[in-house]
Amino acid sequence: MPDRTEETARPEPGLLLRGVRRGPRGPLRDVRIRGGRVAAIEPPGARADGEEQIEGRGGTLLPGLVDAHAHMGQWSEHRRRVPLGHAASAAAAADAVRDAVRERGAAPGELVVGAGLRDAMWPDAPHKDLLERAAPGVPVALIANDLHMCWLSPAALRLLGRDHPTGVFIEGACMEVTAALPSAPEEVRDTRVLEAADAAAARGVTGVADYELADTAADWLRRAGRRTPVVRVACVIARPLLDTAIERGHRTGLALRPDGLLTVGPFKLFTDGSLNTRTAYCDDPYPDAGPGAPHRFGVLELPPEELVPLMRKAAAHGLHPAVHAIGDGANRIALDAFAEVGCAGRIEHAQLLRPGDAERFARLGVVASVQPAHAPDDRDVAEHHWRGRTGRAFPYADLLAAGARLEIGSDAPVAPLDPWDGIASAVARTDDERPPWHAEQAVPLAAALAAAAGGRSEVRPGDPADLVLTGADPAETPPADLRSMPILLTLLAGRPTFRSERLDR
């Protein structure tokens, strides 16, 4: 018998997907969609009932993918910046800026922005004078791959009305400087963000949590007024906007529009910095930091006596905390705070855990919001700065075994906004020719797919019709090839937001 939901009234015509596989290695089925939901899953050859029909060509139908942590404004701009991820030294980064300025012919006074710096292993230190020698008089701002460091030239400092001995800013100062950089007009920025969402839909994404340090609720309501977004957006609340959110009556999960595409996200707090900037707060000192170094153990952004009251205030108003914690010391503090407050919430990144802390995630019901693409990206940096502890770094298998809930994001622009990159990294623990890094922390494909779909593990009748149809079966795809997974169709509430030309041939 067909697997149907009960219907009390005849629904309006919708969509009939023909000949799709129901999940990895699943049977061929026809899937009927009405009213934005999966209405029925039937054997092949189902009779059409006035619906639009799409031949699925044997593609694999999966729940739509959700990027649990992205910075949409920065990601949309990152795609237009000078790429510097390859620079192996400060001098090499400065040389790349010099070449880009010559190639692009920047106008006098025009700000040149580069992105993707990875300075944790550089043999030399970034300094504003290096940029001045490379591009005399040109305002240059270079932003680290982890978004926790930026490097400005003297002309860029003058542009912002600032002075600084080195031009290198980290953590809160970095974020203030980045936010103060000149930007395109609002309409142009909105268009770029909506285009970035279009590109995400083309990779099977149906939802994004936007962690931009801005008034994301107001920004997305404005963008939605220009054009309906092609993804659902959870609008994360930045720490400075807590009182504003409370005054607005916002609560995590509250719909901001009648169509439900925009919702209030969690309340974001930072306990520490990042691994690449050596500001992740750890129990053990960084090997290159001497006894008198100011950040020998990293940076504790919010000590418990400040973190707990903020979390308690947010929770009292229905806002779930999302606590950034990367080092094992920071994760311990965040978990302690959740235990004290007793509220729902999530820890963002959870990159290095103490023994036994995976079980605490499960026991407290705290979501582990992770970015698996960072593990292969940071393996060399981690082996240097977290020497002897990398068996508990990016510990996804430990978290799953403990019963914790994993959700996968990209942290774009730190990694590309493409969930298949994260899925492949979670399964393979490598992204190059090297063997898997700590293969014992790899997770099964089914678990990775569910974590990348907001917890949905299969397509069922009654579910929202946020779906993706892949051109290859993930279960039959080598892990290294998952990153290039072909997407045939993406549906948001049953509405196509991406359709491959392959379906029309």
Side-chain angles (χ1 to χ4, degrees), residues 265-287:
F267 169 54
K268 176 69 180 295
L269 293 162
F270 285 86
T271 59
D272 68 346
S274 72
L275 168 59
N276 278 275
T277 309
R278 284 83 70 206
T279 49
Y281 188 68
C282 299
D283 290 336
D284 299 282
Y286 286 87

Side-chain angles (χ1 to χ4, degrees), residues 72-272:
M72 293 300 292
Q74 293 183 70
W75 170 238
S76 68
E77 296 301 324
H78 177 90
R79 293 163 14 122
R80 294 165 173 80
R81 291 171 173 168
V82 179
L84 296 170
H86 62 281
S89 66
D95 288 345
V97 168
R98 177 200 62 208
D99 295 343
V101 169
R102 289 175 179 173
E103 181 181 341
R104 300 184 180 191
E110 180 184 353
L111 179 68
V112 174
V113 182
L117 295 178
R118 295 178 178 272
D119 67 316
M121 304 287 283
W122 282 359
D124 52 356
H127 194 282
K128 62 184 180 182
D129 292 346
L130 270 176
L131 296 178
E132 178 64 18
R133 287 195 292 270
V138 177
V140 177
L142 308 184
I143 301 171
N145 189 68
D146 61 12
L147 310 181
H148 288 250
M149 184 274 277
C150 62
W151 174 18
L152 272 58
S153 70
L157 288 167
R158 290 193 295 272
L159 187 66
L160 298 183
R162 290 176 176 260
D163 191 16
H164 193 275
T166 66
V168 177
F169 299 83
I170 65 171
E171 298 308 329
C174 164
M175 294 171 192
E176 290 177 11
V177 166
T178 302
L181 292 174
S183 58
E186 180 179 272
E187 183 175 358
V188 172
R189 298 197 310 273
D190 284 349
T191 297
R192 290 174 178 175
V193 171
L194 291 167
E195 288 173 349
D198 294 340
R203 298 302 298 145
V205 174
T206 58
V208 172
D210 188 359
Y211 277 76
E212 199 67 76
L213 186 62
D215 189 346
T216 54
D219 288 347
W220 276 102
L221 284 168
R222 183 185 66 248
R223 291 165 190 152
R226 300 185 190 278
R227 171 161 71 86
T228 301
V230 297
V231 295
R232 300 185 189 276
V233 182
C235 302
V236 176
I237 299 163
R239 178 182 170 186
L241 293 170
L242 176 59
D243 288 338
T244 299
I246 292 171
E247 290 169 5
R248 290 171 175 170
H250 285 177
R251 302 180 309 279
T252 299
L254 176 73
L256 296 172
R257 280 168 44 110
D259 59 14
L261 291 181
L262 306 181
T263 57
V264 177
F267 169 54
K268 176 69 180 295
L269 293 162
F270 285 86
T271 59
D272 68 346

Side-chain angles (χ1 to χ4, degrees), residues 16-20 28-32 40-46:
L16 181 61
L17 295 179
R18 291 196 174 277
V20 300
L28 279 175
R29 290 290 184 264
D30 290 350
V31 177
R32 202 179 299 273
I41 298 174
E42 307 177 16

